[in-house]
Amino acid sequence: MDVPRRAHGFTLLELLVVIVIIGLLSTYVGPRYFSQLGKSERSTAKAQIEALGKALDAYRLDTGSYPTTEQGLSALVTRPNNESKWAGPYLTKAVPLDPWGREYIYRSPGRDGEFDLLSYAKDGQPGGTDVAADVSYR
């Protein structure tokens, strides 16, 4: 007596169970992954701002003042006109963009000190909370 062989493969029910499990896992893991991404972007911005701040301090030690707002952070890489004491470049590479693809904001004199150096973070707007909070020097 010949017994019919069962076809090899997955049943529709087995496939649906796997899809549901994958969906549940992605709803749990997805938000955690993206929140870590926001934290790493903020950490990168803080590290870049610290490096730029130290380069600005070295510029000031050599020239006696911080670059003006008009000269901007590019004064760390390229000698500004009429700056005879410039001993740069103070950065080994070009001035980086912030992790969100925008230029860092530099003002000299600053609102709270000799200069302001900051990024408006993820939202690109002043202020904000959590991952959208501004990242600034000092």
Side-chain angles (χ1 to χ4, degrees):
M1 172 181 232
D2 254 336
V3 177
R5 289 185 168 198
R6 184 173 173 210
H8 296 289
F10 297 107
T11 65
L12 181 60
L13 182 61
E14 291 170 329
L15 288 174
L16 288 174
V17 168
V18 169
I19 290 171
V20 167
I21 290 171
I22 290 172
L24 289 172
L25 286 173
S26 66
T27 58
Y28 177 74
V29 173
R32 291 183 182 272
Y33 169 76
F34 287 112
S35 72
Q36 291 301 319
L37 181 63
K39 288 178 185 175
S40 69
E41 288 171 331
R42 287 187 60 75
S43 296
T44 300
K46 286 179 184 177
Q48 286 179 335
I49 284 176
E50 285 295 319
L52 290 170
K54 288 177 179 166
L56 285 164
D57 290 337
Y59 179 99
R60 182 179 159 272
L61 286 172
D62 287 344
T63 65
S65 64
Y66 290 105
T68 64
T69 302
E70 292 76 29
Q71 291 170 327
L73 295 174
S74 63
L76 299 173
V77 180
T78 306
R79 178 191 301 268
N81 293 336
N82 304 323
E83 190 57 71
S84 60
K85 297 179 184 176
W86 190 84
Y90 299 93
L91 296 174
T92 56
K93 297 180 181 178
V95 177
L97 296 176
D98 72 10
W100 301 277
R102 292 183 290 276
E103 291 183 0
Y104 284 102
I105 297 155
Y106 173 74
R107 294 183 289 254
S108 178
R111 293 182 185 159
D112 300 322
E114 295 185 76
F115 68 88
D116 294 335
L117 178 59
L118 61 125
S119 167
Y120 286 147
K122 185 175 185 170
D123 64 354
Q125 302 295 318
T129 57
D130 296 326
V131 295
D134 298 348
V135 182
S136 62
Y137 185 65
R138 298 184 190 152

